[in-house]
Amino acid sequence: MGVVTALSITLASARLLETTIGPAATHPRVRVLQLVPYTVWLLARMTASAFQIARIVLDPRIPPEPGIAHFRTQLTSPAARAMLADSITLVPGTMTLEIQGDDFTVHSFTPEGYLSLPTRGPS
C-alpha cells in the first residue's frame, strides 16, 4: 500500500515539481553511487543528533543554546539545494528557515547543530 501511495503522489506531483524547479532535462543527472555515502552520513548524523537533543531535553543541567546560522553553498541546481535543505531539516534540532539563491538560513537547537551543517550536500 505504501508503494502504491508513493507512486500515486509522485505521478500526481510530477507536473508541479517540473513547474517549480524546471524540466528534468535541465538538471544534472543523479549519481546514485554518490548518494550512498551521503545517505549513510545523514543517517549517522540524524541518530547522533537525536541522542544529543534527547540528552539536552531530559537533563535540566544542560541548557539549550538555540541560534540562527547563515551559510552559502556552491550547489547550482535548485533540486540539489532543495535536497540539502530537506536533509538539514531531517536532522533533529535543525531546521532550514529560508533559502535565497545559494544563501541558507538555518535554526539550530544547539551550537553543535549549526557548526556541523552540511554546506555541500550531494552532487
Side-chain angles (χ1 to χ4, degrees):
M1 188 153 178
V3 171
V4 172
T5 302
L7 183 60
S8 300
I9 291 171
T10 300
L11 292 175
S13 64
R15 189 180 323 154
L16 175 63
L17 183 63
E18 194 167 286
T19 302
T20 305
I21 66 171
T26 64
H27 299 290
R29 308 275 295 147
V30 173
R31 295 182 207 116
V32 176
L33 291 179
Q34 289 183 344
L35 282 177
V36 172
Y38 184 76
T39 302
V40 169
W41 175 85
L42 181 61
L43 290 172
R45 186 71 197 113
M46 288 169 64
T47 303
S49 184
F51 281 109
Q52 179 186 29
I53 296 298
R55 183 166 180 244
I56 291 170
V57 168
L58 296 174
D59 189 345
R61 296 172 294 168
I62 305 173
E65 298 176 45
I68 303 288
H70 300 274
F71 68 89
R72 183 169 293 192
T73 182
Q74 296 177 357
L75 296 171
T76 56
S77 164
R81 288 193 299 266
M83 186 171 176
L84 176 59
D86 290 341
S87 297
I88 290 169
T89 301
L90 281 172
V91 174
T94 58
M95 178 180 289
T96 303
L97 299 176
E98 183 177 36
I99 304 171
Q100 290 288 331
D102 58 355
D103 292 322
F104 279 64
T105 303
V106 177
H107 177 272
S108 179
F109 194 64
T110 65
E112 293 82 11
Y114 53 81
L115 292 175
S116 65
L117 289 172
T119 57
R120 282 196 44 222
S123 335

